């Protein structure tokens, strides 16, 4: 009896393995060129321009200090022989210390800007990923792949490229929120 049950179980298993599935589901897939999104998304451009302005503003005081230091160093070179070796040694040590201090300030500013830039980039990328996820759900996609600098797709037919569609919706959404922000700002100014 056990042998019959065992043989019947094996036979059913073999039949199940040989059965082809007729209910295979087709997946709706597409891909997006992420490098193009980064290059052409208006919010990326606007935020990059704002960041560059901020970088320049933060760098101005340091630039002024560097120019003053360079003028003082030039004056030092001109006066070193006239004022004697003791003065030159003391003033040279002061200038060297100020030069090191300016270098540390410059490094701190660079580090601050790199950190702020990384946070901004991460924030924008998270927003785009969320948008693409919502877009995919809305349009009924099962998968949306990314191509570009950090390619996850090595080949795809051009017909699956939805970059332009997504970019248009991203830019339209950003422009509408940008207009809403301007209207809100104007209303606050009236008050």
């Amino acid at each position: 009896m056990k042998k019959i049950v065992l043989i019947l179980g094996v036979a059913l298993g073999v039949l199940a393995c040989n059965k082809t599935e007729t209910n295979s589901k087709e997946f709706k897939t597409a891909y997006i060129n992420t490098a193009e999104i980064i290059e052409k998304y208006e919010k990326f451009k606007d935020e990059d321009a704002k960041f560059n302005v901020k970088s320049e503003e933060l760098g101005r005081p340091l630039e002024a200090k560097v120019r003053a230091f360079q003028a003082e160093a030039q004056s030092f070179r001109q006066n070193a022989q006239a004022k004697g070796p003791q003065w030159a040694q003391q003033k040279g040590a002061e200038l060297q210390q100020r030069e090191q201090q300016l270098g540390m300030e410059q490094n701190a500013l660079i580090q601050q800007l790199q950190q702020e830039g990384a946070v901004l980039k991460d924030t924008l990328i998270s927003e785009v990923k969320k948008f693409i996820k919502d877009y995919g759900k809305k349009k009924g996609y099962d998968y949306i792949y990314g191509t570009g600098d950090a390619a996850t797709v090595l080949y795809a037919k051009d017909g699956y490229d939805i970059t332009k569609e997504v970019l248009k919706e991203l830019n339209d959404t950003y422009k509408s929120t940008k207009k809403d922000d301007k209207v809100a700002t104007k209303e606050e100014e009236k008050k």
Side-chain angles (χ1 to χ4, degrees):
M1 184 72 151
K2 289 182 183 179
K3 286 183 181 181
I4 294 175
V5 172
L6 183 62
I7 293 172
L8 186 60
V10 169
L12 287 174
V14 168
L15 287 174
C17 289
N18 288 334
K19 185 179 176 183
T20 58
E21 191 174 316
T22 57
N23 296 345
S24 67
K25 178 183 176 187
E26 288 190 29
F27 293 103
K28 185 174 179 182
T29 63
Y31 72 93
I32 294 173
N33 184 335
T34 54
E36 187 175 341
I37 295 287
I38 290 170
E39 178 186 330
K40 296 180 180 177
Y41 180 30
E42 294 296 323
K43 188 170 184 177
F44 277 143
K45 292 177 185 178
D46 289 349
E47 293 298 327
D48 189 47
K50 287 178 193 176
F51 186 74
N52 288 336
V53 167
K54 182 179 181 178
S55 298
E56 289 174 11
E57 288 175 0
L58 288 174
R60 281 192 191 110
L62 184 60
E63 286 176 21
K65 288 179 182 181
V66 168
R67 282 193 300 275
F69 172 78
Q70 289 171 341
E72 196 172 337
Q74 182 66 29
S75 173
F76 166 75
R77 284 186 216 106
Q78 293 171 351
N79 295 326
Q81 287 184 347
K83 295 200 177 188
Q86 187 178 10
W87 178 87
Q89 188 177 12
Q90 181 182 0
K91 190 66 172 175
E94 288 174 17
L95 287 174
Q96 188 175 19
Q97 187 177 15
R98 283 196 42 221
E99 184 178 31
Q100 289 174 349
Q101 194 173 21
L102 286 172
M104 290 188 316
E105 284 182 46
Q106 184 180 25
N107 289 339
L109 180 61
I110 289 169
Q111 187 175 15
Q112 176 188 350
L113 290 173
Q114 286 174 339
Q115 288 173 346
E116 288 179 19
V119 168
L120 177 61
K121 183 180 176 183
D122 289 347
T123 301
L124 291 172
I125 288 173
S126 292
E127 287 177 16
V128 170
K129 282 181 179 179
K130 183 184 179 319
F131 182 89
I132 291 170
K133 182 178 179 181
D134 293 343
Y135 180 89
K137 285 179 182 178
K138 181 172 78 175
K139 298 290 184 170
Y141 286 100
D142 294 299
Y143 297 99
I144 298 179
Y145 301 98
T147 65
D149 295 335
T152 54
V153 175
L154 299 176
Y155 170 77
K157 290 182 180 178
D158 289 340
Y160 295 116
D161 186 358
I162 61 170
T163 306
K164 288 181 178 34
E165 298 167 33
V166 171
L167 187 59
K168 182 183 178 336
E169 284 200 31
L170 266 170
N171 284 328
D172 291 347
T173 302
Y174 174 62
K175 287 175 185 173
S176 70
T177 59
K178 198 172 169 182
K179 288 178 185 174
D180 293 343
D181 290 345
K182 286 182 181 178
V183 169
T185 304
K186 287 181 181 178
E187 288 177 3
E188 288 176 12
E189 289 174 359
K190 289 180 183 177
K191 292 180 182 179

